[in-house]
């Protein structure tokens, strides 16, 4: 996963990248998902979701390298970032930018090339596409049209951190990047509080301290791990209770590198919550259209409050909201 800004250049002929709207299909061949002999330089037409390294360039599969070499086009989050990987492995396949801000016309152009018989590989700056990275809309459209979508699995920072973090791995929940603002972050953490497993978040260095402090307040004294610079030279796993980790980074300052935060399951029972925080959670849920009865049950389980008291408070807030 990457937090680098996307390259939105429409055309970059200097580096061998071409805008898809001007490209011609390399060949007109039938869409066929059957396995072909590896000596055949052509790939069956389809959308290939290719995982790439998150740091160490050696963390790429033989199949991924082969796919990138034999594809007709590589759609990538940032062509400059991907070009470094391709150069390292001697891959000369044409590239073009595709990211979350790409419009429907570009997605349709990619799908048209696949329908015309081409193999298009989708990569992100690092890790597995779609896991907090671009590609979701393209895959949805491809599936809706019956276009073959072929996963080429590999490394992901989420699983990499979980595998070596030392917290429970039998059940886990990936929540992606928390919201930037503290109020919205706390609402998210409250929603996650009752999940019976390890929680996994991504976070930027400059927001890490605030996020850890909010986690400590809402989730309580849980064990946690901050994993950063995974697979790189300065890889680090720092473990401790949430409050301890928040204090450490408040004093040490923002760390460098991309960060995965693991939060262990709640083994101490439901966490008590102050009235103001309870009201904030209830209002947020009511704004989302949740029913008072279901909301009362969920929040009571999460906070340790009596369901009847939560129900009455939610009902009062709803009546004020509807006035």
């Amino acid at each position: 996963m990457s937090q680098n800004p996307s390259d939105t250049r429409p055309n970059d002929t200097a580096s061998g990248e071409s805008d898809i709207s001007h490209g011609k299909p390399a060949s007109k061949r039938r869409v066929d998902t059957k396995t072909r002999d590896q000596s055949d330089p052509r790939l069956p037409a389809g959308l290939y979701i290719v995982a790439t390294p998150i740091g160490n360039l050696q963390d790429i599969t033989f199949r991924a390298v082969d796919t990138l070499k034999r594809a007709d086009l590589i759609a990538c989050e940032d062509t400059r970032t991907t070009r470094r990987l391709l150069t390292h492995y001697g891959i000369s396949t044409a590239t073009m930018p595709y990211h979350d801000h790409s419009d429907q016309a570009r997605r349709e152009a990619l799908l048209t090339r696949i329908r015309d018989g081409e193999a298009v590989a989708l990569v992100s700056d690092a890790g597995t596409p779609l896991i907090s990275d671009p590609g979701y809309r393209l895959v949805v459209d491809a599936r809706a049209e019956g276009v073959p979508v072929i996963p080429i699995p590999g490394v992901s920072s989420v699983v990499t951190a979980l595998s070596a973090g030392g917290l429970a791995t039998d059940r886990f929940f990936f929540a992606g990047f928390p919201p930037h603002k503290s109020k919205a972050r706390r609402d998210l953490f409250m929603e996650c509080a009752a999940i019976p497993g390890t929680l996994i978040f991504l976070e930027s260095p400059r927001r890490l301290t605030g996020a850890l402090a909010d986690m400590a307040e809402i989730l309580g004294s849980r064990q946690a791990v901050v994993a950063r610079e995974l697979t790189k030279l300065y890889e680090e796993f720092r473990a401790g209770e949430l409050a301890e980790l928040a204090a450490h980074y408040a004093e040490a300052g923002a760390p460098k590198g991309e960060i995965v935060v693991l939060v262990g399951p709640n083994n101490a029972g439901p966490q008590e919550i102050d009235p103001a925080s309870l009201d904030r959670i209830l209002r947020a849920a009511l704004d989302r259209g949740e029913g008072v009865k279901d909301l009362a049950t969920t929040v009571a389980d999460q906070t340790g409050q009596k369901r009847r008291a939560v129900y009455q408070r939610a009902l009062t807030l709803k009546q004020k909201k509807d006035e």
Side-chain angles (χ1 to χ4, degrees):
M1 283 145 209
S2 175
Q3 299 162 26
N4 294 331
S6 296
D7 183 358
T8 57
R9 295 171 295 172
N11 193 14
D12 189 348
T13 55
S15 60
E17 299 153 8
S18 59
D19 191 306
I20 194 168
S21 61
H22 302 299
K24 295 181 180 180
S27 61
K28 294 282 186 179
R29 57 183 186 270
R30 179 172 57 90
V31 173
D32 182 8
T33 58
K34 295 180 179 179
T35 303
R36 290 180 175 169
D37 186 90
Q38 291 299 304
S39 63
D40 186 343
R42 299 174 301 164
L43 281 174
L47 176 62
Y48 292 76
I49 311 301
V50 183
T52 57
I54 59 176
N56 191 318
L57 291 182
Q58 296 183 65
D59 292 334
I60 190 169
T61 67
F62 292 123
R63 187 183 178 203
V65 172
D66 179 70
T67 299
L68 295 177
K69 284 182 176 180
R70 297 166 62 203
D72 297 297
L73 177 72
I74 300 172
C76 42
E77 187 176 359
D78 188 322
T79 56
R80 295 163 297 187
T81 299
T82 299
R83 181 57 59 192
R84 289 193 288 270
L85 174 68
L86 301 183
T87 299
H88 182 82
Y89 284 100
I91 299 171
S92 58
T93 306
T95 63
M96 59 86 63
Y98 180 82
H99 43 77
D100 274 344
H101 300 293
S102 297
D103 58 18
Q104 179 62 38
R106 176 149 292 191
R107 289 195 294 277
E108 178 56 32
L110 282 168
L111 295 175
T112 296
R113 290 186 70 151
I114 297 172
R115 287 192 295 265
D116 286 342
E118 292 198 47
V120 174
L122 175 69
V123 302
S124 60
D125 284 349
T128 301
L130 278 76
I131 310 302
S132 283
D133 273 341
Y136 172 74
R137 296 182 185 89
L138 179 60
V139 170
V140 169
D141 288 353
R143 289 282 184 197
E145 294 188 25
V147 170
V149 180
I150 304 97
I152 310 296
V155 70
S156 165
S157 65
V158 174
V159 176
T160 300
L162 184 66
S163 68
L167 297 180
T169 60
D170 55 336
R171 289 189 290 183
F172 58 89
F173 179 81
F174 174 56
F177 284 94
H180 295 184
K181 294 184 178 180
S182 179
K183 176 184 178 300
R185 268 202 310 257
R186 294 184 183 198
D187 290 346
L188 170 64
F189 298 153
M190 180 57 67
E191 292 175 3
C192 294
I195 294 174
T198 296
L199 306 176
I200 308 176
F201 303 93
L202 304 178
E203 192 51 279
S204 70
R206 64 186 180 86
R207 289 194 295 270
L208 177 62
T209 299
L212 288 171
D214 286 341
M215 288 179 194
E217 180 175 338
I218 299 300
L219 300 176
S221 56
R222 300 195 192 190
Q223 289 296 311
V225 174
V226 174
R228 67 179 189 88
E229 293 289 83
L230 293 173
T231 78
K232 300 178 184 178
L233 180 62
Y234 297 107
E235 177 179 274
E236 179 186 42
F237 288 81
R238 180 173 292 276
E241 289 193 359
L242 283 169
E244 295 172 349
L245 291 172
H248 167 78
Y249 288 107
E251 180 178 350
K256 294 182 179 180
E258 296 180 0
I259 295 166
V260 181
V261 180
L262 308 175
V263 182
N266 178 20
N267 297 320
Q271 300 295 318
E272 292 293 334
I273 187 170
D274 64 88
S277 296
L278 177 62
D279 282 0
R280 186 173 64 248
I281 299 303
L282 292 174
R283 287 193 182 96
L286 290 170
D287 288 342
R288 291 193 297 268
E290 295 186 28
V292 173
K293 289 184 178 179
D294 292 339
L295 170 60
T297 299
T298 300
V299 174
D301 289 342
Q302 292 175 347
T303 62
Q305 302 283 326
K306 292 183 178 180
R307 182 189 177 281
R308 185 177 184 83
V310 175
Y311 175 82
Q312 291 296 335
R313 185 56 184 164
L315 193 61
T316 298
L317 293 174
K318 186 178 187 305
Q319 290 172 345
K320 290 182 178 179
K321 179 176 180 293
D322 293 339
E323 288 178 356

